[in-house]
């Protein structure tokens, strides 16, 4: 009996010891939670989708309330604009893009001696969060009728005016607060085409984020070339040796970087093609650029250009006193 | 000794059993990812919180809107499209417009021998209700490289294919149901610019509704001239004597009218400027036209044209074997 019990005890002891060792090994392994993550990730993306939809709906009905509530970083979009026949059309479709983007603040800067009623009324009815500014380009820097568009860079003064407003706004807020510390600045011309995904790509910019731009510079696209997660050079058809051969539509900067570099601005006297570089070159190095849009493999913005409409019949009718009613805004 | 051993054995048995039970409980949990979970759980609960708040807000502010939406007449928008460098950009901004319009069904008809992957993938990701069709324009009716755009009307076959689909869909439904009896059909080219208000203007079309179109026909705008609530003539710079001197973007028809006139279609052989008339002239009279947009005093749609992008640098780079990666969709 004595022996039997001992044997049983020993056996049991051995077996349970092995079990204990196994259990301890399991505990030591930290835990592989990847598979476990999947449903949570799915829940998160589902919830985000639902939130986005609701925000959309709410934005339609009450634009300002909804945008105040989110904790997303603000995207400040600076857009230079000038009076021309297609201006209202261009602003219309651009505003429709922006209406889909949560937490976007549009800084629209007119190249004009004063704010125009057309733009003021348009913005007031847009449903967007916006700031309306104006800054006239000095005559000597302006393109003259008939000049090729590449002769002088356009929109430098207006973008600088947008930057000035941002710095002033931030200073007034003591440089603090969620709408400042995490915010992003993007320069969006009023004739380009922007996918909605682009804005989510740029939203968490640390310093300067970059991505391809379609249909620009005589190319299907220009883009930063990425190797091992870093930008190493640029795919462009013209002077790749420029400090930053990137189109205005191809980068976003954090507001923090703008505030940390109070002198950074666009040089309206810069040689054509060097306007972007004049702003970026003292703020960031190529190595620091943050490649977005699937490591610069996706085109999410297009450098579209709208034709100047011909007005031949209008002119002929005006001569006959039969021109289109000037009281109807186009 | 006997008793002692038994006691020790029993004690050990009890303790190890508790351990085993605990270990089994742990195993049952698959893996302890609680600590790892915390940030995700926090995200989920934050998102849920936000969702809940938004739902609350929406319930308070607009209890009826949701139910109203479903009873709105459907707008079927027929858009002809063809492969070109700016196609994806144009479809992108057009889809962003349509995403704002409730109860819109997009019928996108490719001028191609088969549906293209670019358009198929684009539509699938668009978030819109859509029907994807294709219909190749016969060679003899197609504009040739270098032809002026006004030489032959474009998109006739594609619009007719859209009409065919609508008639078939309606027939399959027995010609009844709210999505058929109150529905509206609009022909929206993929390069124009549409305000959101335009769609609400056309939504309750009885037969044919009309409004001004901006930047068309060499004019600031063309429009029906309204006197005492009726269209009496047309403001246009060219052949006002045409049956309906209206641009494609300037009218919408009720689906009922389309179904009541099973032969109505666009005549691809029509003289330039007479394509719209070829469709409308046997369905409606000028007196029956329903003037919208503040009695045709507001421009809510613009006949914008996008420049064909130049590809000179691309071509030069291709010769050097350095062209843009053809695997990147533009």
């Amino acid at each position: 009996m004595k022996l039997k019990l001992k044997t049983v005890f020993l056996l049991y002891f051995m077996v349970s010891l092995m079990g204990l060792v196994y259990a301890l090994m399991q505990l030591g392994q930290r835990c592989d939670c990847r598979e476990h993550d999947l449903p949570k990730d799915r829940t998160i993306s589902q919830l985000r989708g639902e939130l986005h939809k609701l925000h959309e709906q709410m934005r339609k009905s009450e634009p300002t309330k909804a945008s105040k509530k989110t904790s997303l970083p603000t995207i400040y979009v600076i857009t230079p604009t000038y009076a021309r026949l297609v201006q209202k059309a261009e602003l219309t479709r651009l505003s429709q893009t922006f209406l889909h983007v949560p937490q976007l603040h549009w800084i629209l800067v007119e190249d004009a001696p004063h704010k125009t009623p057309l733009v003021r009324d348009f913005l007031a009815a847009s449903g967007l969060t916006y700031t309306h500014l104006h800054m006239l380009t000095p005559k000597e820097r302006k393109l003259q009728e008939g000049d090729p568009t590449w002769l002088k860079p356009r929109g430098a003064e207006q973008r600088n005016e947008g930057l000035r407003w941002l710095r002033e706004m931030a200073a007034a807020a003591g440089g603090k607060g969620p709408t400042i510390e995490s915010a992003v600045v993007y320069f969006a011309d009023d004739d380009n085409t922007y996918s909605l995904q682009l804005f989510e790509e740029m939203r968490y910019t640390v310093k300067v984020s970059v991505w391809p731009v379609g249909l620009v510079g005589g190319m299907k696209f220009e883009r930063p070339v990425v190797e091992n997660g870093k930008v190493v050079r640029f795919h462009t058809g013209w002077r790749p040796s420029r400090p930053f051969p990137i189109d205005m539509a191809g980068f976003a900067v954090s507001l923090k970087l703008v505030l940390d570099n109070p002198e950074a601005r666009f040089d309206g006297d810069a040689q054509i093609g060097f306007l972007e570089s004049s702003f970026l070159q003292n703020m960031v190095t190529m190595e620091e650029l943050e490649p977005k849009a699937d490591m610069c493999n996706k085109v999410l913005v297009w450098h579209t250009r709208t034709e100047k409409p011909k007005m031949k019949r209008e002119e002929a009718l005006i001569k006959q006193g039969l021109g289109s009613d000037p009281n109807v805004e186009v």
Side-chain angles (χ1 to χ4, degrees), chain A:
Chain A
M1 186 64 196
K2 231 183 187 177
L3 265 170
K4 264 186 192 167
L5 199 61
K6 237 182 199 164
T7 315
V8 170
F9 177 51
L10 270 168
L11 262 172
Y12 183 81
F13 181 73
M14 294 297 284
V15 170
S16 65
L17 197 67
M18 277 160 65
L20 192 69
V21 167
Y22 175 74
L24 281 171
M25 273 162 65
Q26 288 288 314
L27 281 173
Q29 268 188 9
R30 249 205 104 174
C31 203
D32 181 4
C33 291
R34 270 169 303 178
E35 210 174 323
H36 174 92
D37 273 354
L38 279 176
K40 297 221 166 171
D41 282 337
R42 219 175 292 140
T43 308
I44 289 176
S45 74
Q46 263 174 8
L47 286 171
R48 286 223 166 103
E50 272 184 67
L51 257 179
H52 182 72
K53 259 191 233 159
L54 279 186
H55 275 299
E56 286 294 282
Q57 272 176 264
M58 295 198 67
R59 200 167 276 257
K60 274 177 207 160
S61 50
E62 21 175 10
T64 47
K65 259 191 208 169
S67 48
K68 267 183 202 158
K69 299 261 164 163
T70 61
S71 57
L72 284 173
T74 300
I75 299 175
Y76 289 100
V77 177
I78 297 178
T79 301
T81 188
Y82 65 101
R84 60 200 191 279
L85 278 168
V86 297
Q87 183 181 33
K88 195 178 175 190
E90 302 273 47
L91 294 178
T92 296
R93 53 185 170 191
L94 192 56
S95 73
Q96 290 169 0
T97 302
F98 293 167
L99 275 172
H100 288 294
V101 183
Q103 204 67 10
L104 183 149
H105 183 127
W106 196 13
I107 303 171
L108 188 59
V109 192
E110 289 193 75
D111 185 353
H114 48 74
K115 299 179 194 178
T116 64
L118 185 146
V119 174
R120 188 177 51 232
D121 296 348
F122 168 81
L123 281 172
S126 70
L128 286 163
T129 303
Y130 66 87
T131 297
H132 184 189
L133 303 172
H134 71 98
M135 175 57 67
L136 187 66
T137 304
K139 228 180 173 180
E140 64 275 14
R141 278 190 185 162
K142 217 167 203 159
L143 279 177
Q144 304 302 316
E145 185 73 32
D147 280 354
T149 53
W150 48 259
L151 194 67
K152 285 173 192 170
R154 234 185 344 210
E157 269 75 8
Q158 291 74 41
R159 294 186 193 98
N160 288 334
E161 172 65 4
L163 290 171
R164 183 201 61 73
W165 182 86
L166 277 172
R167 289 180 173 123
E168 207 163 83
M169 177 275 296
K176 278 178 193 168
T179 55
I180 292 166
E181 286 163 64
S182 64
V184 184
V185 183
Y186 182 53
F187 302 95
D189 289 353
D190 61 3
D191 47 1
N192 290 337
T193 304
Y194 308 89
S195 74
L196 301 182
Q197 201 196 322
L198 180 72
F199 299 93
E200 301 321 311
E201 295 285 334
M202 75 177 70
R203 199 178 289 277
Y204 295 93
T205 298
V206 180
K207 284 187 135 191
V208 178
S209 55
V210 290
W211 49 79
V213 178
L215 310 176
V216 71
M219 309 269 292
K220 273 178 72 182
F221 58 82
E222 287 184 346
R223 66 163 159 176
V225 178
V226 180
E227 280 174 14
N228 301 319
K230 292 279 174 196
V231 175
V232 292
R233 62 177 182 278
F234 298 90
H235 171 66
T236 171
W238 186 71
R239 294 188 70 163
S241 60
R242 286 173 288 162
F244 291 95
I246 311 179
D247 184 77
M248 199 63 74
F251 68 90
V253 303
S254 67
L255 178 56
K256 195 177 170 310
L257 191 70
V258 170
L259 300 177
D260 289 347
N261 291 272
E263 300 302 318
R265 57 193 294 286
F266 292 94
D267 178 5
D269 290 323
Q271 211 186 324
I272 192 76
F274 284 78
L275 190 62
E276 293 83 355
S277 296
S278 76
F279 175 64
L280 289 172
Q281 61 194 356
N282 296 317
M283 291 204 295
V284 72
T285 63
M286 183 170 76
E287 294 69 36
E288 289 175 314
L289 296 177
E290 300 146 42
K292 303 284 181 183
D294 192 17
M295 289 292 155
C296 297
N297 278 305
K298 282 216 174 91
V299 174
L300 299 175
V301 52
W302 297 263
H303 193 262
T304 39
R305 287 282 157 260
T306 304
E307 278 181 14
K308 192 179 166 184
K310 296 182 185 95
M311 287 291 116
K312 277 192 181 167
R313 296 222 175 90
E314 185 75 48
E315 286 153 19
L317 284 183
I318 287 172
K319 277 179 196 158
Q320 301 169 46
L322 297 169
S324 298
D325 184 346
N327 295 318
V328 176
E329 190 177 86
V330 178

